Amino acid sequence: MDDLARHADDLSSLPPSCGPVRLVAVDGHAGSGKSTFAARLAAALGGAPVLHLDDLATHEELLGWTGRLREQVLLPLSRGESARYAPYDWTERRFGPARALEPAPVVLVEGVGAGRRQVRPWLAALCWMEVDRDTSWERGRRRDGTGLTGFWDGWTRAEGRHFAEDPSRPYADTLVRQLPEGYAWLAGPRATAGSNRTVTHGSHEAPPY
C-alpha cells in the first residue's frame, strides 16, 4: 500500500498552477470512489479544501459546469482571492447560499470531468481513479438505490458522451487503484509517456489569467 502522506508531500512540492494554489483534480467514472479518496487525500494534506463538482452541476447541465467553475472558482483563485460558489441543491433543484473556498496551498477538485481539456491548464496534477466504467456504474447504482434508476440511466449516457469526446485518463499523472486497505499509486499515461509531471507545465494551452 502506498503512503498517502508521502504522496501528499509530493503534491505540496509541485509548482503552483492557479495563482498561489496547486490545483489537483481527482477524476474517474461515477461510482469509482473519487469523493472518498479526495477526502482521505485532503486529510493527508492537513485539511486541504475539496471542491465537489456535483455542487456546480445541475439536473439540466450534468456536465455543463465549466463556466461556473472558471468564473466562480478558477479566476478568483488565480488572483490569490477567495472563491465563492453557490452549491446546487439536488433535492430543491436550485442553487443555495454561496460558500467560500480559500486559496490554500493545495486545493482538490473532484468529480467526473475534473480533468477535462478546459480545466487541465489550471492543474498541478491529475489523478484518475482506476476502476472500469461498468464496475463504477454498478457501484453507483447500488449505492443510490432503485429510486434513482432513471437519473442513472440519463447520467451514464451523458458520461459516456463526455469521455468519448473529452477523455481525462490519457492525461492523468497518477492512476489511483483502491486496495483492500488504502490505495496504490501508479504512474499515469502522461508519466509513462515521459511528459513533465505537472499537467499545467506540459499543456499546449496556457492558463487564461
Side-chain angles (χ1 to χ4, degrees):
M1 180 183 70
D2 283 329
D3 181 10
L4 274 181
R6 176 167 60 84
H7 294 293
D9 288 343
D10 290 343
L11 293 174
S12 297
S13 69
L14 293 174
S17 60
C18 182
V21 173
R22 295 154 185 83
L23 198 65
V24 176
V26 179
D27 203 341
H29 298 292
S32 60
K34 297 179 299 299
S35 297
T36 299
F37 171 72
R40 293 178 180 174
L41 181 57
L45 285 160
V50 181
L51 174 66
H52 303 284
L53 291 173
D54 284 350
D55 286 343
L56 300 183
T58 70
H59 284 88
E60 292 74 28
E61 296 178 304
L62 293 174
L63 290 159
W65 38 257
T66 309
R68 284 187 287 276
L69 176 66
R70 181 179 185 276
E71 297 301 320
Q72 298 178 18
V73 178
L74 299 179
L75 287 175
L77 292 181
S78 75
R79 298 188 295 263
E81 301 169 0
S82 296
R84 289 183 66 80
Y85 65 98
Y88 184 70
D89 187 319
W90 288 86
T91 301
E92 298 294 329
R93 302 178 75 99
R94 58 180 175 82
F95 289 103
R99 183 179 298 170
L101 181 68
E102 301 300 327
V106 179
V107 173
L108 304 180
V109 179
E110 74 84 16
V112 173
R116 62 175 40 171
R117 66 171 62 94
Q118 292 153 301
V119 179
R120 286 196 294 272
W122 307 85
L123 298 179
L126 169 57
C127 301
W128 174 266
M129 302 303 295
E130 188 70 342
V131 183
D132 70 83
R133 184 182 71 176
D134 291 341
T135 300
S136 297
W137 288 352
E138 181 182 355
R139 284 183 186 176
R141 287 178 182 272
R142 188 167 58 247
R143 175 194 65 203
D144 293 342
T146 57
L148 289 178
T149 296
F151 175 84
W152 267 94
D153 290 344
W155 173 268
T156 54
R157 289 192 295 271
E159 184 186 305
R161 286 194 299 270
H162 169 72
F163 281 134
E165 298 168 359
D166 189 1
S168 298
R169 189 183 183 278
Y171 302 93
D173 299 280
T174 301
L175 304 179
V176 180
R177 181 171 294 158
Q178 188 169 5
L179 302 173
E181 293 186 15
Y183 298 92
W185 288 58
L186 310 173
R190 286 184 61 83
T192 56
S195 299
N196 186 293
R197 188 174 184 276
T198 65
V199 173
T200 301
H201 291 194
S203 173
H204 294 297
E205 304 171 79
Y209 51 75

